[in-house]
Amino acid sequence: MVVLPYTVAFLLLCSLQTVKIANSQSFIGINYGQVADNLPPPSSTAKLLQSTSIQKVRLYGSDPAIIKALANTGIGIVIGTANGDIPGLASDPNFAKSWINTNVLPFYPASNIILITVGNEVMISNDQNLMNKLLPAMQHVQNALNDASLGGKIKVSTVHPMGVLKQSEPPSSGSFDPSYGDLMKGLLEFNSANGSPFAINPYPYFAYRSDARPETLAFCLFQPNAGRMDGNTKIKYMNMFDAQVDAVYSALNSMGFKNVEIVVAETGWPYKGDDNEVGPSIENAKAYNGNLIAHLRSMVGTPLMPGKSVDTYLFALYDEDLKPGPGSERSFGLFKTDLTMVYDVGLSKSSQVRANFMCISLVFRVFNSQVFYS
C-alpha cells in the first residue's frame, strides 16, 4: 500500500496540531476554593486535575495538604495570604519570612508554587488602612523570597476586581479609578520592577446581570452577535471577555505599564441560582466556559493583545456549599465533589484523545480515494 506524500503530510499536521494543543495549555488554570464542608481529599483532587488539561491551580490560602498533594504533578500552584495577614506582613519583615518558611520552603520545588497573591480584592475593601499596607506587605513577601533565593522563581502580586476601573467602555478608554491614585501606581511599579502579573477578576456574567438583554447574553457567551464597536480604535468586539481584558490593558497603558502581564485570576458562570436571579443555567455556564476555553486554545488573543492567550483561572473547581449570598454563589463548580463533571467543557484529556482520533479518522476517510495498492 502506498500513500501519497501530501496525505502523509496532512496526517502528520493533524497529529502535530493535537500535540501542540495538548502541550500549550499552560494558560488554563482553575480556582480551588475551600468554603465548603464536603470537598474530596486533596489526593483525589490532584488525580482529577492530572486527568485534565488544567495546568495551574489557584488557592485562596496555603493549605499544606493540598500543596503537598500537588507535588511532582507539574501543576503550577498559586497560593495566597489572607487579607487579615496584610497588617502583620506590612509591619514585620520577620512575619513575612516566617510565612515563606512555613508555606513555601517545605514544599518547593516538588510542589510547583509559581505565584503568591497578597490579599484578595483589597482595593475595594473600603479599608484605607488595609489598602495603605498592601504594598509594604507585598514588598516584605518579595524580600523574604529574595532572601530564600526564590525571588526570580516565585512571583508576588495581589488580585483586583474589575471595580478598580473607573471606565471600561469602550475598551480603549479603560482607566483606573483616580481615587486610588498613588496606591495603584505603587502596586504597578512593584509589578513592573519584579516581573509579576496584574491579576484581575473579569466576569461577563455580572455584566449581563446588569444588562439582561438577549444581545448582551450572546455577547457575553461568545455566541453570534452584532458586536460592539470601539469608536476610538474602530475595532469591533465580538465578546465581553476580550472587551474587559482590553479595558484592563488600556488602563495599564494609560499609566505607562502596558508591559505588565495581565492574568485573569477568576472568571466563570454559575450553572444554577435562585428563582429571582438572571443568567444562571447549565446551558449558559457550559456555553461561557466552553467557548472561553476554545477561545483561549485558539491563541487568537484579544484585539489589543493579539497572538497570545492570557493566563486564565476558571472559577471554580468545585461548588462551595458554605458560601453566603444568593444560590449562584454556591454554583460555579465545574466538577462535583464525587469528581464527576457538572457539565463537559472539553477539559478532560480523554476528550482530547477522542478529538484526535476523530481528526485522524476523518483524514483517512477524506483521502481514502488516494490510497493505491501495488
Side-chain angles (χ1 to χ4, degrees), residues 170-172 227-238 246 302-305:
S172 62
R228 298 184 181 182
M229 182 68 72
D230 186 321
N232 298 325
T233 60
K234 306 306 178 187
I235 292 171
K236 181 182 280 189
Y237 282 82
M238 301 308 298
D246 273 359
T302 72
L304 297 184
M305 295 184 292

Side-chain angles (χ1 to χ4, degrees), residues 162 201-208 244 266-269 288 315 332:
M162 285 294 290
N201 296 342
Y203 275 92
Y205 164 67
F206 292 120
Y208 171 64
Q244 290 185 328
E266 281 183 30
T267 191
W269 199 288
Y288 178 72
F315 189 86
F332 276 86

Side-chain angles (χ1 to χ4, degrees), residues 184-200:
M184 183 60 74
K185 184 180 179 184
L187 292 172
L188 294 176
E189 287 174 342
F190 175 92
N191 290 142
S192 180
N194 293 286
S196 64
F198 181 83
I200 190 86

Side-chain angles (χ1 to χ4, degrees), residues 145-366:
L145 284 172
N146 293 345
D147 291 344
S149 300
L150 296 177
K153 299 174 182 177
I154 301 174
K155 302 298 182 181
V156 177
S157 192
T158 190
V159 178
H160 304 284
M162 285 294 290
V164 296
L165 269 64
K166 177 72 172 179
Q167 184 171 344
S168 59
E169 294 183 24
S172 62
S173 296
S175 60
F176 291 111
D177 189 325
S179 67
Y180 298 130
D182 290 341
L183 286 177
M184 183 60 74
K185 184 180 179 184
L187 292 172
L188 294 176
E189 287 174 342
F190 175 92
N191 290 142
S192 180
N194 293 286
S196 64
F198 181 83
I200 190 86
N201 296 342
Y203 275 92
Y205 164 67
F206 292 120
Y208 171 64
R209 282 205 323 186
S210 62
D211 180 18
R213 296 175 296 160
E215 56 265 37
T216 304
L217 182 62
F219 188 65
C220 289
L221 296 181
F222 299 85
Q223 293 174 337
N225 66 90
R228 298 184 181 182
M229 182 68 72
D230 186 321
N232 298 325
T233 60
K234 306 306 178 187
I235 292 171
K236 181 182 280 189
Y237 282 82
M238 301 308 298
N239 66 79
M240 180 67 79
F241 179 83
D242 282 356
Q244 290 185 328
V245 172
D246 273 359
V248 174
Y249 174 82
S250 295
L252 291 171
N253 188 34
S254 70
M255 293 187 67
F257 295 98
K258 68 177 182 179
N259 292 326
V260 170
E261 177 192 4
I262 297 171
V263 164
V264 172
E266 281 183 30
T267 191
W269 199 288
Y271 63 88
K272 68 179 180 181
D274 298 331
D275 291 342
N276 63 345
E277 290 191 88
V278 177
S281 73
I282 287 276
E283 181 183 11
N284 288 347
K286 183 175 181 178
Y288 178 72
N289 286 308
N291 290 335
L292 171 59
I293 290 165
H295 183 53
L296 294 171
R297 285 173 173 166
S298 75
M299 301 297 287
V300 169
T302 72
L304 297 184
M305 295 184 292
K308 63 177 181 178
S309 290
V310 172
D311 281 5
T312 300
Y313 291 78
L314 304 171
F315 189 86
L317 183 57
Y318 303 117
D319 290 343
E320 295 176 83
D321 66 328
L322 298 182
K323 267 196 165 182
S328 59
E329 285 293 314
R330 296 176 290 283
S331 306
F332 276 86
L334 293 177
F335 292 89
K336 300 175 185 177
T337 53
D338 66 3
L339 308 179
T340 61
M341 291 180 284
V342 177
Y343 50 88
D344 189 358
V345 290
L347 284 173
S348 70
K349 289 178 180 176
S350 60
S351 67
Q352 292 180 21
V353 170
R354 286 194 301 270
N356 185 34
F357 178 78
M358 291 173 65
C359 173
I360 294 175
S361 297
L362 177 62
V363 172
F364 273 114
R365 287 198 299 271
V366 169

Side-chain angles (χ1 to χ4, degrees), residues 78-140:
V78 179
I79 61 175
T81 76
N83 286 1
D85 287 335
I86 290 173
L89 292 169
S91 62
D92 186 1
N94 288 324
F95 181 51
K97 185 172 290 188
S98 175
W99 196 94
I100 295 298
N101 288 343
T102 300
N103 297 293
V104 175
L105 297 187
F107 312 108
Y108 187 88
S111 296
N112 185 26
I113 299 168
I114 57 174
L115 176 67
I116 299 171
T117 56
V118 178
N120 187 49
E121 300 192 343
V122 173
M123 296 299 282
I124 61 162
S125 66
N126 294 319
D127 184 333
Q128 195 63 43
N129 182 54
L130 199 65
M131 292 161 62
N132 290 336
K133 290 184 175 179
L134 177 57
L135 180 57
M138 291 167 63
Q139 289 170 329
H140 285 160

